[in-house]
Amino acid sequence: PHPLLTALLLLSGVVDLQTGLSEFSVLQRRLKHGWNEFSVDATEPIWKKYLDQFKNPLILLLLASALVSVITKEYEDAASITMAVLIVVTVAFIQEYRSEKSLEELNKLVPPECNCLREGKLQHLLARELVPGDIIYLSVGDRVPADLRLIEVTDLLVDESSFTGEAEPCNKTDGVLLEAGDITTLSNVVFMGTLVRYGKGKGVVIGTGENSQFGEVFKMMQAEETPKTPLQKSMDRLGKQLTLFSFGIIGLIMLIGWLQGKHLLSMFTIGVSLAVAAIPEGLPIVVTVTLVLGVLRMAKKRVIVKKLPIVETLGCCNVICSDKTGTLTANEMTVTRLVTSDGFQAEVSGVGYNGEGNVYLLPSKEILKEFSNVSVGKLVEAGCVVNNAIIRKNSVIGQPTEGALLALAMKMELADIKDSYARKKEIPFSSEQKWMAVKCTLKNQDQEDIYFMKGAFEEVIRYCTMYNSSGISLMLTPQQKASYQQEEKRMGSSGLRVLALASGSELGKLTFLGLVGIIDPPRAGVKEAVQVLVESGVSVKMITGDALETAVAIGQNIGLCNGKLKAMSGEELDQVADIHLIPSCVFVFQISIFFRTSPKHKLKIIKALQRAGAIVSMTGDGVNDAVALKSADIGIAMGQAGTDVSKEAANMILVDDDFSTVM
């Protein structure tokens, strides 16, 4: 069994689940396990950061030549060289310091808090104060403060996209699991940093700080070295060549003088003067000024660049690897297709939890509002009523799929229709029954109760005896069911998550209304950005933890490899034994989508591409991207959606999460 779970079994004997830990045992455990936080190396003092700028071989060579100029009494040369060096170093230092400060602003988010049971009282604590054995209460909207083994849950759905890359929230249980699996797939454990989307739960802390799953990734990330940029490598090479060249000149001239019987000291002076003259004092200034201009241009596009040479790497980059969820897509579920029970098809534009976008009837592309098409109107109305989510300030409180149905109603101008119904009863969703229903009546009218149901097609259709045809209920035939089944399969195979909707006066005799296809679609501008990159010879690859169908659907939508997609799973990647040999590296070049990947797989892919001679950029936002972000030639993190760990690992941060700014 996993060490955390073993630790839990030991803890459970000591923790009273009704009263929680006592202050004394909290102190004891804190001495043993430490605070629930990550020890990032203490930030270096400013003077040390300034001195670090002098480590560049060219700068050291220039300083050496200034020193020689002083010895040979060429004071003007010495002054001008020193001046040049100071300008270069100061400009680079100021620029990097400014980037660091703007990054600190981004990371000044609210310190995570949680509800914890101690000494029989429910207390509101900072997450850093937790120790293994503490009992935590979770509710909708909470960030999980540490790794927990669940002991009580009610319909708990947790968004683990920052860990696994799956946009769909995971269903959690509190039972004992019969077969042992990988810790990250256990349904009775929730992980630090994930988000509670629905339901509530109670759990015992089993891993804090660096002993959590989050901590494992953090340690992997710190073990990785950031590679030197192409510019740094070529400047280092130039510095070394110039040094050898200078010593060569001095030696050669002294040898010639000695053979001619000249005075050795004056020959040495001439040799040194020639060597100093051969060193390009202007080069570092030109390079630094050019890079600073690049960084300032990026800053105008709302991109923070941590280190100056990174700007040049962006220009040399010939492979861009990108995470899907939260990077190419916004991690916001959106309805994109509608199919009504009487055969009308519609597509929906717009992304995210807002009313921007329209519903277009196919093939005429007529824009639909309210009940201008009765069948579509009834389908959208049902999705809005059988719903517990709220959209506030363009973000959803509750389940993402329900948020998508509300945004759809907003586009159809039907969002307020929910208020005309009074809800009497709700039959909540459960993983066994795979549907949810509400029983309502129309306010101010003495009509009979109406049930609205939504869920998986094969479950919902079992409760239906009729189907809706332009507002009239007709008997459902086996042929009709078969055609819906086919439509549902077709939508599913194109990567959509399909929900069926029905309504009626009693649960066994509902009227089927149609199907809704939901996906986390690409961000605005991503398709155009990918096209420009591919046309300019940059290869774009998607690396995601999500399933094949969803990954391929997004890949085709944004035009990866002009529709010729080759996909490979993390498991298949493990079977390529000699990935560090050149033939395998070239083989990785030909694949455009990697799915079901873990942080280790992402790292493996980046390293293989680098071995094949590529200069690789990685864009990502999640904890699972951090290691790859650090080991790529250029790591690009998302400023808004990104986790702190990914921003720490990256060299560049897109403040507005706009993928197209990398061009």
Side-chain angles (χ1 to χ4, degrees):
H2 189 275
L4 291 177
L5 299 187
T6 326
L8 171 71
L9 299 174
L10 298 173
L11 288 170
S12 54
V14 195
V15 182
D16 181 343
L17 300 181
Q18 300 313 309
T19 60
L21 295 173
S22 66
E23 288 301 330
F24 177 67
S25 55
V26 167
L27 289 173
Q28 274 184 317
R29 286 163 194 236
R30 188 164 299 137
L31 286 173
K32 186 177 173 193
H33 300 280
W35 294 92
N36 179 27
E37 60 189 1
F38 303 108
S39 53
V40 181
D41 304 334
T43 45
E44 297 175 329
I46 287 187
W47 59 267
K48 191 169 183 309
K49 282 183 185 164
Y50 188 72
L51 290 182
D52 278 351
Q53 300 285 345
F54 287 93
K55 284 182 178 169
N56 181 332
L58 249 182
I59 297 280
L60 291 173
L61 194 59
L62 284 173
L63 287 176
S65 68
L67 187 67
V68 170
S69 304
V70 170
I71 294 166
T72 56
K73 298 201 168 66
E74 301 280 349
Y75 295 123
E76 284 175 4
D77 282 2
S80 62
I81 293 172
T82 313
M83 197 64 196
V85 168
L86 284 175
I87 290 173
V88 166
V89 166
T90 309
V91 167
F93 167 75
I94 288 172
Q95 192 48 53
E96 288 179 12
Y97 185 71
R98 276 171 56 186
S99 295
E100 225 166 77
K101 280 282 166 261
S102 29
L103 190 65
E104 276 173 21
E105 287 306 308
L106 263 189
N107 286 343
K108 267 189 198 157
L109 299 170
V110 192
E113 299 176 351
C114 59
N115 293 313
C116 173
L117 184 69
R118 281 191 187 166
E119 298 192 322
K121 292 196 287 289
L122 192 59
Q123 306 180 14
H124 195 68
L125 301 176
L126 285 177
R128 71 183 291 264
E129 297 177 23
L130 296 180
V131 294
D134 263 326
I135 291 169
I136 303 297
Y137 284 78
L138 298 172
S139 54
V140 176
D142 287 356
R143 279 240 174 249
V144 178
D147 288 2
L148 311 177
R149 161 68 162 87
L150 296 166
I151 47 179
E152 269 178 39
V153 303
T154 318
D155 301 325
L156 187 64
L157 286 179
V158 177
D159 179 350
E160 295 186 342
S161 58
S162 71
F163 251 112
T164 60
E166 284 212 31
E168 196 51 48
C170 294
N171 217 353
K172 294 291 180 180
T173 58
D174 53 13
V176 177
L177 298 180
L178 299 175
E179 69 273 5
D182 171 28
I183 175 89
T184 52
T185 58
L186 298 180
S187 62
N188 57 5
V189 175
V190 287
F191 304 106
M192 178 197 279
T194 55
L195 184 68
V196 178
R197 283 286 188 190
Y198 188 72
K200 51 184 192 287
K202 177 176 164 186
V204 179
V205 175
I206 54 176
T208 57
E210 294 190 357
N211 296 325
S212 62
Q213 284 302 304
F214 203 102
E216 289 300 312
V217 176
F218 193 74
K219 282 187 280 204
M220 258 172 82
M221 180 191 93
Q222 287 188 316
E224 277 304 314
E225 280 297 311
T226 307
K228 281 193 162 182
T229 69
L231 181 67
Q232 283 169 323
K233 285 178 192 161
S234 54
M235 292 291 263
D236 286 358
R237 221 176 20 251
L238 181 66
K240 281 173 189 147
Q241 285 166 352
L242 283 174
T243 312
L244 291 170
F245 176 67
S246 308
F247 282 120
I249 287 182
I250 297 169
L252 184 68
I253 286 185
M254 284 180 73
L255 181 69
I256 293 170
W258 179 67
L259 291 174
Q260 290 181 344
K262 297 265 175 69
H263 193 262
L264 270 185
L265 189 64
S266 63
M267 283 287 103
F268 175 70
T269 315
I270 292 170
V272 167
S273 304
L274 277 174
V276 169
I279 296 169
E281 291 91 348
L283 183 64
I285 294 188
V286 172
V287 169
T288 305
V289 169
T290 313
L291 291 177
V292 167
L293 288 173
V295 170
L296 293 174
R297 271 175 63 189
M298 295 302 278
K300 279 196 186 119
K301 287 183 164 188
R302 313 260 303 141
V303 176
I304 297 173
V305 180
K306 285 192 191 173
K307 291 262 183 274
L308 283 184
I310 290 298
V311 181
E312 192 265 347
T313 314
L314 196 57
C316 320
C317 179
N318 52 10
V319 177
I320 292 186
C321 294
S322 180
D323 170 51
K324 177 184 76 70
T325 314
T327 305
L328 292 174
T329 70
N331 199 4
E332 296 183 330
M333 290 304 222
T334 307
V335 175
T336 56
R337 293 283 299 189
L338 301 175
V339 177
T340 66
S341 49
D342 48 353
F344 286 109
Q345 302 226 2
E347 66 178 16
V348 187
S349 64
V351 176
Y353 305 118
N354 55 59
E356 290 164 28
N358 286 307
V359 178
Y360 299 97
L361 192 64
L362 297 176
S364 64
K365 292 277 186 180
E366 175 198 342
I367 294 179
L368 302 178
K369 295 285 180 199
E370 297 184 340
F371 288 96
S372 58
N373 176 305
V374 178
S375 305
V376 175
K378 280 184 113 37
L379 182 62
V380 173
E381 171 191 42
C384 180
V385 177
V386 58
N387 202 314
N388 290 325
I390 302 167
I391 289 181
R392 194 175 292 152
K393 292 185 190 159
N394 289 357
S395 64
V396 67
I397 302 166
Q399 278 186 37
T401 42
E402 295 196 332
L405 292 170
L406 282 187
L408 171 67
M410 286 158 75
K411 290 169 191 174
M412 290 273 289
E413 294 173 6
L414 286 172
D416 300 334
I417 203 156
K418 192 175 179 178
D419 302 334
S420 54
Y421 287 94
R423 187 182 290 196
K424 287 188 165 180
K425 176 183 167 194
E426 176 185 341
I427 304 166
F429 177 89
S430 77
S431 49
E432 290 78 40
Q433 68 181 28
K434 292 193 170 62
W435 56 266
M436 100 171 240
V438 292
K439 178 181 171 186
C440 308
T441 54
L442 273 165
K443 289 180 185 168
N444 322 327
Q445 289 183 28
D446 293 335
Q447 284 188 335
E448 55 181 29
D449 297 340
I450 312 170
Y451 282 94
F452 290 97
M453 179 189 279
K454 75 159 187 288
F457 167 75
E458 60 279 3
E459 298 300 322
V460 171
I461 199 78
R462 287 173 33 202
Y463 291 86
C464 299
T465 54
M466 319 280 274
Y467 75 96
N468 167 53
S469 174
S470 303
I472 303 159
S473 294
L474 303 176
M475 283 306 289
L476 196 56
T477 63
Q479 290 87 341
Q480 211 88 41
K481 279 188 189 176
S483 76
Y484 298 148
Q485 179 83 49
Q486 248 179 330
E487 192 58 57
E488 193 254 355
K489 273 210 169 63
R490 206 174 55 107
M491 288 165 81
S493 63
S494 65
L496 296 172
R497 167 145 196 252
V498 186
L499 283 182
L501 290 152
S503 67
S505 52
E506 58 179 290
L507 270 184
K509 297 180 181 170
L510 297 178
T511 301
F512 183 70
L513 298 173
L515 301 167
V516 171
I518 299 175
I519 197 167
D520 172 21
R523 290 175 183 274
V526 166
K527 186 175 183 176
E528 294 75 8
V530 168
Q531 275 172 346
V532 172
L533 289 166
V534 171
E535 280 164 17
S536 46
V538 179
S539 159
V540 183
K541 301 186 183 308
M542 183 200 294
I543 309 179
T544 176
D546 218 334
L548 174 64
E549 294 78 15
T550 320
V552 169
I554 297 293
Q556 283 173 335
N557 188 326
I558 61 177
L560 279 188
C561 288
N562 305 329
K564 297 189 290 289
L565 290 176
K566 272 194 180 175
M568 184 182 203
S569 71
E571 281 179 4
E572 289 168 331
L573 191 67
D574 285 333
Q575 286 154 14
V576 182
D578 49 359
I579 192 131
H580 53 281
L581 299 177
I582 292 298
S584 307
C585 299
V586 176
F587 159 71
V588 169
F589 247 108
Q590 294 158 358
I591 310 250
S592 21
I593 291 181
F594 296 90
F595 61 98
R596 289 269 178 249
T597 54
S598 69
K600 284 196 179 80
H601 292 137
K602 293 189 181 195
L603 180 62
K604 215 172 179 180
I605 295 161
I606 299 276
K607 292 268 198 241
L609 290 165
Q610 285 170 330
R611 274 191 207 97
I615 290 170
V616 185
S617 147
M618 170 78 195
T619 44
D621 66 314
V623 178
N624 58 346
D625 301 315
V627 188
L629 285 170
K630 188 155 182 195
S631 62
D633 294 289
I634 176 165
I636 303 172
M638 297 286 158
Q640 314 269 319
T643 51
D644 290 357
V645 181
S646 65
K647 289 179 211 164
E648 172 74 30
N651 323 92
M652 251 172 78
I653 288 96
L654 310 180
V655 179
D656 294 336
D657 293 5
D658 182 0
F659 183 77
S660 54
T661 50
V662 299
M663 291 187 304

